[in-house]
């Protein structure tokens, strides 16, 4: 992998919800993992913002801008980073889709960067034959053995 494209310092989160706007609307299931760069300056010098979405001041509560997001797995009940080194950026994550009970592999192939909205460069693979049975409302922990690459 080209070191200038390595995703070191990135992390992903996923939400256990179906995107119902805090219970005010019918769920649209347009959810999935979000990728963040832990560098406060980010790639464009604007990675932390305040509640209004403006550059964060030193005395304000700050929020990370997402670096990428994918919308193919709502109601996430577990996520883990895959330390593989075969992909261009190294931003591969495994997730449990709480709605379908499927294992899903997400490769944020080309993160769009903070402040951009192009979410179309990624690889998403579902593994329905794995047969997971997540319990609603409970986290499903996962781990990857970095030596063998086995997902537990």
């Amino acid at each position: 992998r080209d070191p200038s494209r390595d995703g070191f310092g990135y992390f992903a989160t996923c939400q256990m919800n179906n995107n119902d706007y805090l219970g005010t609307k019918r769920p649209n299931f347009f959810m999935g993992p979000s990728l963040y760069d832990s560098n406060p300056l980010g790639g464009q010098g604007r990675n932390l913002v305040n509640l209004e979405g403006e550059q964060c001041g030193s005395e304000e509560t700050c929020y990370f801008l997402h670096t990428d997001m994918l919308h193919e797995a709502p109601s996430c009940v577990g996520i883990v980073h895959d330390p593989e080194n075969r992909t261009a950026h190294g931003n591969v994550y495994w997730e449990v889709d709480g709605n379908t009970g499927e294992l899903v592999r997400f490769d944020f192939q080309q993160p769009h960067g903070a402040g951009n909205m192009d979410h179309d460069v990624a690889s998403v693979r579902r593994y329905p034959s794995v047969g997971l049975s997540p319990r609603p409302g409970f986290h499903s922990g996962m781990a990857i053995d970095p030596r063998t690459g086995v997902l537990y």
Side-chain angles (χ1 to χ4, degrees):
R1 171 180 315 142
D2 179 347
S4 69
R5 296 182 353 183
D6 196 6
F8 180 77
Y10 283 65
F11 65 94
T13 64
C14 64
Q15 294 67 44
M16 193 183 307
N17 96 33
N18 290 319
N19 207 26
D20 65 358
Y21 299 88
L22 300 175
T24 63
K25 298 184 180 194
R26 290 180 52 212
N28 64 13
F29 307 100
F30 196 59
M31 293 291 287
S34 298
L35 185 69
Y36 297 89
D37 180 353
S38 65
N39 179 350
L41 298 178
Q44 301 168 1
R46 184 177 172 257
N47 201 26
L48 292 176
V49 295
N50 62 18
L51 194 57
E52 286 80 34
E54 299 168 357
Q55 188 165 351
C56 192
S58 61
E59 301 298 317
E60 296 181 282
T61 300
C62 301
Y63 304 90
F64 277 112
L65 287 173
H66 74 276
T67 302
D68 209 346
M69 64 174 44
L70 303 172
H71 300 277
E72 289 84 0
S75 195
C76 170
V77 295
I79 189 168
V80 67
H81 177 250
D82 189 336
E84 59 76 41
N85 61 9
R86 295 172 310 281
T87 60
H89 294 275
N91 291 313
V92 174
Y93 292 83
W94 293 87
E95 176 182 315
V96 176
D97 182 331
N99 285 337
T100 65
E102 294 176 349
L103 182 64
V104 187
R105 181 186 182 272
F106 290 94
D107 180 358
F108 292 92
Q109 291 178 332
Q110 188 176 335
H112 61 58
N116 294 320
M117 300 301 283
D118 182 6
H119 303 136
D120 66 350
V121 183
S123 172
V124 179
R125 286 187 229 154
R126 290 184 167 272
Y127 296 84
S129 62
V130 173
L132 302 172
S133 299
R135 290 178 51 198
F138 288 87
H139 181 268
S140 298
M142 292 183 287
I144 294 182
D145 182 324
R147 188 176 50 79
T148 64
V150 174
L151 173 65
Y152 295 95

